[in-house]
Every structure is written in C-alpha cells, then in structure tokens.
Amino acid sequence: TMQSSGHRFRDVEHHPLLAENDSYDSSEADMAERVWFIRDGCGMVCAIMTWLLVVYADFVVTFVMLLPSKDFWYSVINGVLFNCLAVLALSSHLRTMLTDPGAVPKGNATKEYMDNLQLKPGEVIYKCPKCCSIKPERAHHCSICKRCIRKMDHHCPWVNNCVGEKNQRFFVLFTMYIALISAHALILCGFQFFSCVRGQWTECSDFSPPVTVILMIFLCLEGFLFLTFTAVMFGTQIHSICNDETEIERLKSEKPTWERRLRWEGMKSVFGGQPSLLWINPFAGFRIRQLLLRAKKGGPEFSV
C-alpha cells in the first residue's frame, strides 16, 4: 500500500506506482472520440466466419428452398422474415464488435489524474499493473484487448471484442437474432424435406437432389449448433443482467461490494430506458456522421 495525495493507492499485484514524470498516451484518454476495433487474428477469423455462415444460410434458404417454391406468398413471407432477421443479427454483430466495451484508458495512474478524481482522504484506489490504469470497481483486465474493461462479462472471439458495460446490449441482441434465424432455418428445412420427399425430389429445387440434400444437411447442422449455443448464451446474459452480476464475477464467486439493481432496473440500465421496441433495435443511437467524424479525428482504436 502506498500513500499518494492523501489517498491510499493499492497495487493489485504489488507493482510500483507510476512515477510523476511518467506519461501515458493522452490521445487514449478520450475513447468516445475514436473508432474501436481489436486487431486480434483469432477474433477476426471468427468474426469473418460468423458472417460467412450467415450468408451461407441466407443463400440456402433463398435459392435452394424459397425461390423454387410454387407457393408465392410462402416464399415472400419467409424470405422477407429471414432476411430481416439476418440483417438485424449482422448489424448487432457489427455494433458489438465496433463499440468500445467500456475500456479504461491506459496509463492514467498518475498523480495528476488521481487529483482530478477528487477522492475522499484515505479512500483506496487500485492500479492494474498490466495496463497501468486506475482500476474502477467491477473492472477486469482483458489480456486480448490489453485493457481493463468496466463490468467485463467475457471476451468473445465470435464478435472479436469484450462484452462489457457499453456493448452488452448489442451482444444480447446478436445472440437473440442468431437463435431466431437458426430456428427459422431449421423449420424451413423440415418443410423442405417433407415437400421434397412427398414430391419424390422432382421440381423440389433448382439444384440436383444430391446437391440439395448436402446443402440442407449442412444448414441443419449449422442451425442446430448455432441455435443451441446462442440460445444458452442469450439465457445466460439475461440471467446475469437480472442478477446484476457478470460472468467473471459469477465464476470467481466474488461477493458483491456494490448495491445490486432490481431485475427491471438492471434490464433498463443495459437496454436503456423503459421497455420499448428500441430495446431490440441494434440501430438505436447509431449516427453515421458521428462515426465518420470519429474516424477522421482519431483513426481506428487498435489493440494488439
């Protein structure tokens, strides 16, 4: 424990406090003005795979099952519904990936910064020795993002980002929409197999029967795996939000030092405001002009 400016500064791993003349990248202090993107090879591959799998599902549903159908309204209704859900899923994925999850600026553990915090005399503050930042309550360090993340739930390679205080809503929407399109694809596959068997595979698809079977079997496997994974993840996220507890806090069995919100209060804090259709809209709060200005002003925020 060290004394600094009348406050106790506790190093989590007993590393020395930054000296007064040590500096940190001040351009990183204002994360809200920069575009966020994690340059992680595994995460980028997983994110690209996610998009390719959704595009594959859309291709099979549209060109193998719906367009060859003789029922016009069946094709139109299911085509519009599936593609709308796919757009919402991919939009939620993008917003999860490109939104700052609540990163603490690197190297802000300086005397000047602590003086600006206006802490009470004797109040204990913590420094993360890995990113040399003052660690807020309920923040955890991510070894991939190289940052402490406020209310970090976990790092998800499928969205190439941490799930934290500022992007958890988009991650929940991503899991929900992926689960919905997976269920929709499985239902359509069931109808298609029944239709093809009843029609003895004649005029069932514009593709040959072997190709059609292979494409639909792969779609069924993909749909089942993604439905199982995202449905479980969606339920886990909702449970964590209602209990005001992150996955890391649950796994570490951390005793809450904060006042837990009630269930609806937790939901409103994550999704914003009273229940409305905005809760399930991944475009809510998105400003193209603001994004362009951020990119022009600060460039992308890369973490290596």
Side-chain angles (χ1 to χ4, degrees), residues 22 48 50 72 82 118 128 148 164 176 214 216 227 234 263:
D22 287 344
I48 292 173
T50 301
F72 175 77
F82 188 89
Q118 298 180 346
C128 176
C148 283
M176 181 182 75
I214 292 174
M216 291 176 60
L227 174 61
F234 174 79
R263 291 186 177 182

Side-chain angles (χ1 to χ4, degrees), residues 56-180:
Y56 170 80
D58 188 65
F59 169 79
V60 176
V61 167
T62 303
F63 294 97
V64 177
M65 293 190 283
L66 296 182
L67 287 181
S69 175
K70 296 180 180 180
D71 191 333
F72 175 77
W73 288 111
Y74 172 83
S75 299
V76 170
I77 293 174
N78 282 286
V80 170
L81 178 60
F82 188 89
N83 281 277
C84 285
L85 291 175
V87 169
L88 291 170
L90 294 179
S91 300
S92 300
H93 181 273
L94 271 181
R95 297 216 61 183
T96 307
M97 181 171 61
L98 301 179
T99 298
D100 174 4
V104 180
K106 286 183 180 178
N108 66 354
T110 62
K111 180 178 181 299
E112 292 77 12
Y113 183 81
M114 286 187 288
D115 290 340
N116 292 332
L117 293 178
Q118 298 180 346
L119 300 171
K120 298 178 181 179
E123 186 173 348
V124 177
I125 53 179
Y126 298 88
K127 177 177 79 76
C128 176
K130 299 176 182 177
C131 59
C132 295
S133 64
I134 293 182
K135 196 172 185 179
E137 186 180 31
R138 304 186 69 184
H140 292 84
H141 185 85
C142 176
S143 59
I144 299 176
C145 295
K146 310 294 184 183
R147 300 290 176 86
C148 283
I149 308 295
R150 293 182 179 88
K151 290 184 66 176
M152 176 182 169
D153 189 86
H154 68 287
H155 185 94
C156 179
W158 293 104
V159 297
N160 189 33
N161 201 1
C162 272
V163 177
E165 185 177 63
K166 295 183 179 180
N167 68 345
Q168 187 175 24
R169 168 176 169 257
F170 303 121
F171 181 75
V172 172
L173 293 181
F174 167 67
T175 58
M176 181 182 75
Y177 286 124
I178 289 293
L180 288 176

